[in-house]
Structure formats: C-alpha cells, structure tokens
Amino acid sequence: ATGGMWKPQQPLQKFLQNWPLRSATPTPSPLVPDKIEDELEMTMVCHRPEGLEQLEAQTNFTKRELQVLYRGFKNECPSGVVNEETFKQIYAQFFPHGDASMYAHYLFHAFDTTQTGSVKFEDFVTALSILLRGTVHEKLRWTFNLYDINKDGYINKEEMMDIVKAIYDMMGKYTYPVLKEDTPRQHVDVFFQKMDKNKDGIVTLDEFLESCQEDDNIMRSLQLFQNVM
C-alpha cells in the first residue's frame, strides 16, 4: 500500500536536475569547444577524477555521460568532493516535512567507501551507476552495505532498525499520515525474522540476498526504500 501512497523522488538523481542520467545526447555548450572546456574544468578543482576511460569501464555510463556528470558534480561541488553536510542539505530539501538528517548520514557513509569523510566523483558516480543501472544482485549488495552500519559484514537487528527508523523519520507525518509510533519496529521484526535464516541474531550477505530474491514483499519494500536514494 505504501508504494501507492507516495511517489518518491530520487534526490541524488534529481540533485543536479540538468544531468541527463538516462540520455546519451547531452547538450554541449555553444560557447566553448568541448575539449577546451573539459581541460579547463579538469584543472580547476582540488581533486581530479581518474581517467574517464577507466570510469567508463567500471560503470554503466558512457564517456559522454560521464563528462556531463562531471560538469554537474563540479558545479555543485567545486572542490571536487562532496561531504556529509551536502547530503543532509539535499535530503532536507526533498523531504521538508520530515527529519532526513540520520538517513543522509547513513547514506553518505555507504557512498564514502574509504571512510575519509568526503566522497570523490569516482565514488559518487560508481554508486549512482549501481543504483540507476545495476543488476538486481548489484543493487541488493549495495543495499546490504547501507544497512551494515558498522561495516562488520553482517546486519544486526538494531542496524536494520536504525535505517528503517531513519527512513520513516525522513518521510515525515505528511507522507505517512496513518503510521503508528511502533510501525518501524513491527516492520523490522517481520523482515529480520524472515532474513535471519539460521536464527543466530545476524543477517549475512547470503541470507540477505536469498531472502530478498525469494520474498516479493521484502523486494517491494526495498524498491520503495531505494527510491528515496
């Protein structure tokens, strides 16, 4: 029922609305030749990305799309990196009726794979590639990493509760007017019981993948949650 109640926006996709993420024919600048413009942009930032050929090989984006993505990223993040505060600002803008700060915090740390406190263009575009164009398996692995807050390779019940509660807090009372206070806990109890196959109190990656792919309810719920990314 939740999916029908709310048409989620995808803040990171909408973050730079002029990025044609699904289009391979972006509009070039009429004023400056592409090559000169690209070279200028590459020299104006603190962090310069890896070669676009390498990123093209590592992601599901074309080189032309990566050029457009880089321009957009540079416009929003002139230093060449994005920090947690930027994520919080993006999500606060898209979810004004809720408190998005904790979800933005967890999502940022899933993007910040090196745990340095900043996300480079390469990290950002690699994650976007998975979330927008990855296989089901790739998306599920990425989602597992989001829920595995302490990065120990497992999801425990409290971690799942923290993420789910952060999502409900972000959506706010106007999005889910009929939610009761204990709804997130009930949600987690049901899902965790299904996922923890051997009842040892933790969910492994294999258990997570198996549960999600065999249970339509879990998969539908995860797809709803992925839409808020």
Side-chain angles (χ1 to χ4, degrees), residues 127-176:
L128 269 189
S129 172
I130 293 170
L131 293 171
L132 292 177
R133 296 181 179 174
T135 64
V136 170
H137 194 268
E138 287 170 336
K139 289 178 180 179
L140 288 175
R141 287 182 72 97
W142 198 93
T143 305
F144 178 88
N145 181 57
L146 170 67
Y147 278 72
D148 178 17
I149 294 172
N150 66 4
K151 309 304 176 202
D152 64 355
Y154 307 100
I155 301 172
N156 62 43
K157 201 169 190 177
E158 286 314 303
E159 287 176 317
M160 188 177 286
M161 182 65 204
D162 287 344
I163 296 287
V164 171
K165 186 174 186 313
I167 290 169
Y168 278 100
D169 286 348
M170 174 175 66
M171 290 173 174
K173 60 184 178 181
Y174 294 103
T175 306
Y176 286 97

Side-chain angles (χ1 to χ4, degrees), residues 1-6 175-176 178 217 220 224:
T2 18
M5 291 170 61
W6 180 58
T175 306
Y176 286 97
V178 295
N217 287 329
R220 272 198 301 271
L224 172 68

